[in-house]
Amino acid sequence: MALDKSHFTNLMETGAFIHSLIKSDLGEDTHLIKTRFPPEPNGYLHIGNMKAVFINYGMAALYGGTFNLRFDDTNPVREDAEYVESIKEDIMWMGFDWGDRLFFGSDYFDICYEGAIKLIKKGKAFVCDLSAEKLREMHGTLTAPGKESPYRSRSVKENIDLFERMKNGEFPDGARSLRAKIDMTSPNMNMRDPVIYRISHAVHHNTGNKWRIYPMYDFAHPIQDAVEKITQSMCSLEFEDHRPLYNWVIDELEFDPKPRQIEFAKMYVTNTVMGKRYLRRLVETRQVDGWDDPRMVTISGMRRRGYASEALVKFLDITGVSKSVNNIEFAMLEHCVRENLKPRAKAVMAVLDPLKLTIVNYPEGQTENFEIENNPENPEMGVRSVPFSRELYIEREDYMENAPSKYHRLSEGREVRLKGAYFVTCTGVLRDGNGNVTEVLCSYDPETRSGSGFTGRKVKGTIQWVNRADAVRFTANLYDVLVHDDPESPDGVSLNPDSLIVMENCAAEPSAADAGFDDRFQFIRNGYFCLDSKTSKPDAPVFNRIVSLKSSYKG
């Protein structure tokens, strides 16, 4: 379902600097706004990328304009059709519907080439033979001007000839480049005769072997915006210094109307990493289970973990947009996910570290059923029937020897309520040869049956349980943040060795056997869970913990 303006309430409030420019450019015709999102298909989208989609799509939605999805596929060496499909899937899953406005930068290669020829004829571009290393050497520094290329004075005729031969594949990669002729003394290093075309014999995922030269992003992007008649080209602050070059290309190629580039601050989320190089390294070194690893902040990873698109959209909205650095606590993201799940998830009793409990005075061979609410916060979700008998499973942590007074679960002589069932009192334990507790023995009070109206006494503790004979066995993946912020690390983060804990041989009540991949559950006291879409099988279910029940978010 496509998102509408109601999903962008905070964007309307926090994006004043963008709104003022839109109104300045379009006047009374703000409905003519046209925005775009131009991802490079060299990896999977993460939540930071989706913030850029949210802003561009949201501004178009707020004013009733249009939004284009355009792939910046100008570098065939790093790009792949796999990434194209994953990006389309992620953006559509989030609710950002581009309709029939799907484009590729490669759609405009002919126009870019014609633009390059036009610049050469105007004396604004030249073919340069300097190597990449020599280019860097002559580029200058922030405090020292660059040096002009010895090939800068080539004639128009020679430049046209060389550029045509570059296009025809006559020269090897890196042998020559086409550079804009601007100003090697400019304080803005992006304006120091930047390379606008390079040679590459790589096969392109869209155009195959047609081209042997490819435009640089800073040259191709303004052309693409202008051809599509984008009105506001919104991007992150890292491109602010590129704006003069963006405008230079638009002006020199005489496009009209002219798109406006507007910059906003990137969104940074604590204890996450969003650099594609780092993410790709994690994937390629198999430190994660692919781009969709549930610990990754890629959209595919979050989807596999069980996050709802509505929760992510809410998170993107409440974090707003600004011109200053936007540091967001990871706890805020978890808060949005948790709030989305609370009224929707079905409560299920499950134990991650099962310990056998035997009710010694409960009739052998007898089974009864209890009706337990599916969601205490949403009575409309109804109730379910849960089987109960003499032998159960409880969480191992729900029994403690020599427990302190503030421990309100099972210990010898202490009484608790089994959720939705009876009061039980611990009468003893059984141990293995090493002295480890293998079974808890209890007696129950039949008069305390849940729903009976018993008021004789109260207990301070309630614990979940699973009927041993009907238990659904499963594996649980318990996730924490993949990285910790680490200013002393070259990457700014360090891997969290406890980002994934796998619990085997867990046990859940029978209703978990009917779980589908779209279902979400609250495993009582253990958090919110869903089936893992990649590894779970009907005879061997694997549940991912989406988020814990406790929140550290202070908002």
Side-chain angles (χ1 to χ4, degrees), residues 520-534:
R520 301 293 180 264
F521 300 93
Q522 182 194 124
F523 287 176
I524 296 171
R525 283 184 32 221
N526 282 313
Y528 292 97
F529 287 76
C530 69
L531 283 177
D532 183 70
S533 59
K534 193 170 183 177

Side-chain angles (χ1 to χ4, degrees), residues 63 93 101 105 151 231 429 490:
Y63 290 103
W93 178 76
R101 296 175 298 279
Y151 307 101
T231 58
V429 296

Side-chain angles (χ1 to χ4, degrees), residues 427-441:
T427 59
V429 296
L430 299 180
R431 303 175 187 272
D432 62 16
N434 296 318
N436 299 312
V437 175
T438 58
E439 186 174 346
V440 175
L441 305 177

Side-chain angles (χ1 to χ4, degrees), residues 46-53 267 274 297 299 316:
H46 53 64
I47 189 65
N49 300 135
M50 204 55 73
K51 182 70 172 187
V53 183
M267 179 182 71
M274 299 187 198
V297 288
I299 300 304
L316 294 173

Side-chain angles (χ1 to χ4, degrees), residues 45 120 185 212 240 243 292 317 323 332 360 371 422:
L45 292 187
I120 293 173
T185 66
R212 294 292 182 269
E240 187 171 31
R243 193 189 334 141
D292 63 347
D317 190 39
K323 289 282 283 186
M332 182 188 287
V360 294
E371 285 195 343
Y422 296 104

Side-chain angles (χ1 to χ4, degrees), residues 160-433:
I160 292 288
D161 175 66
L162 287 172
F163 190 52
E164 180 72 16
R165 290 162 67 189
M166 286 169 59
K167 180 176 77 75
N168 294 336
E170 189 171 324
F171 308 115
D173 292 5
R176 287 186 163 90
S177 62
L178 183 69
R179 298 173 64 183
K181 189 186 292 187
I182 307 179
D183 182 4
M184 289 301 293
T185 66
S186 173
N188 185 334
M189 297 184 72
N190 295 297
M191 301 297 281
R192 295 182 184 177
D193 292 4
V195 173
I196 59 175
Y197 259 95
R198 78 289 206 190
I199 299 171
S200 176
H201 290 262
V203 177
H204 192 279
H205 74 95
N206 250 3
T207 60
N209 292 311
K210 178 180 178 180
W211 295 93
R212 294 292 182 269
I213 54 172
Y214 292 93
M216 302 298 288
Y217 176 82
D218 278 346
F219 180 64
H221 185 227
I223 293 174
Q224 295 160 4
D225 282 349
V227 171
E228 292 178 10
K229 299 191 183 304
I230 299 301
T231 58
Q232 276 72 36
S233 179
M234 289 171 275
C235 55
S236 56
L237 278 175
E238 65 190 287
F239 292 101
E240 187 171 31
D241 289 341
H242 297 246
R243 193 189 334 141
L245 179 54
Y246 181 97
N247 292 335
W248 183 90
V249 173
I250 295 294
D251 291 339
E252 291 296 338
L253 295 182
E254 303 171 44
F255 282 109
D256 187 42
K258 303 178 188 296
R260 180 199 284 269
Q261 178 175 303
I262 303 173
E263 303 87 16
F264 54 84
K266 277 186 175 181
M267 179 182 71
Y268 294 95
V269 181
T270 60
N271 297 316
T272 65
V273 61
M274 299 187 198
K276 281 187 180 178
R277 286 193 185 97
Y278 189 93
L279 295 178
R280 186 181 295 107
R281 189 165 79 233
L282 292 177
V283 173
E284 292 174 349
T285 57
R286 299 186 179 181
Q287 295 185 74
V288 294
D289 179 30
W291 287 95
D292 63 347
D293 188 297
R295 294 167 292 177
M296 301 266 270
V297 288
T298 55
I299 300 304
S300 57
M302 291 177 162
R303 184 164 67 245
R304 180 178 164 193
R305 183 162 175 173
Y307 289 8
S309 61
E310 296 89 342
L312 297 183
V313 168
K314 182 65 176 178
F315 171 71
L316 294 173
D317 190 39
I318 65 175
T319 51
V321 58
S322 71
K323 289 282 283 186
S324 57
V325 175
N326 203 2
N327 285 315
I328 308 299
E329 291 292 326
F330 188 77
M332 182 188 287
L333 172 60
E334 291 190 313
H335 169 77
C336 292
V337 172
R338 195 178 289 110
E339 289 301 300
N340 175 266
L341 288 166
K342 278 182 181 179
R344 296 173 172 82
K346 179 181 177 181
V348 168
M349 290 194 291
V351 292
L352 304 185
D353 188 9
L355 175 63
K356 183 180 177 182
L357 181 146
T358 300
I359 305 174
V360 294
N361 62 332
Y362 192 88
E364 291 191 42
Q366 178 176 310
T367 299
E368 59 183 312
N369 290 281
F370 290 96
E371 285 195 343
I372 299 179
E373 68 275 16
N374 285 324
N375 188 320
E377 296 191 22
N378 186 356
E380 293 182 2
M381 291 184 66
V383 298
R384 68 191 184 282
S385 180
V386 182
F388 179 93
S389 66
R390 177 185 174 91
E391 295 183 349
L392 311 172
Y393 286 122
I394 61 170
E395 286 285 2
R396 188 168 297 275
E397 66 176 24
D398 284 343
Y399 170 81
M400 180 185 294
E401 293 185 84
N402 305 314
S405 59
K406 292 185 178 180
Y407 181 80
H408 299 310
R409 285 167 275 174
L410 282 173
S411 188
E412 291 194 40
R414 294 195 183 182
E415 187 176 47
V416 301
R417 173 179 288 282
L418 297 177
K419 180 175 175 57
Y422 296 104
F423 289 7
V424 295
T425 302
C426 179
T427 59
V429 296
L430 299 180
R431 303 175 187 272
D432 62 16

Side-chain angles (χ1 to χ4, degrees), residues 492-507:
V493 294
S494 56
L495 283 173
N496 175 14
D498 299 318
S499 61
L500 171 60
I501 296 174
V502 180
M503 305 288 289
E504 304 280 0
N505 206 31
C506 307

